[in-house]
Amino acid sequence: MLLTLGWAQTSPVVTEKITVPWAVTDWEPYYILEGANAKSGRVDRLRRVLEDHLKGYQLTDVSGGYAKNNGAVEAG
């Protein structure tokens, strides 16, 4: 009887992933966007771990631009 009840229950089917905006900027050693070491920064590696374990989520790149903008302000 209990086995039959287990078969009657259905699992929810996830059809869409939840989109999470992920700020990306060219700021070594945290983010490396170009060159031989591209995608090997500290936060790049963290992102891969999150993507591997959060199957219901889609991380979408959003340009942060912090490092470049910050450098322009410091230069005067």
Side-chain angles (χ1 to χ4, degrees), residues 1 5 14 16 19 27 29-30 32 39 41 46 55 61 63-64 66-68 70-71 74-75:
M1 173 80 173
L5 290 175
V14 178
E16 284 188 32
T19 301
W27 189 16
Y30 305 102
I32 303 173
K39 303 283 185 186
L46 172 64
K55 299 296 183 187
D61 290 350
S63 178
Y66 172 77
K68 292 180 182 176
N70 191 36
E74 290 175 358

Side-chain angles (χ1 to χ4, degrees), residues 3 7 16-17 23-24 27 40 44 48 54 61-62 66 71-72:
L3 182 60
W7 282 98
E16 284 188 32
K17 290 185 176 185
V24 177
W27 189 16
S40 64
D44 294 321
R48 282 194 299 277
L54 299 174
D61 290 350
V62 176
Y66 172 77

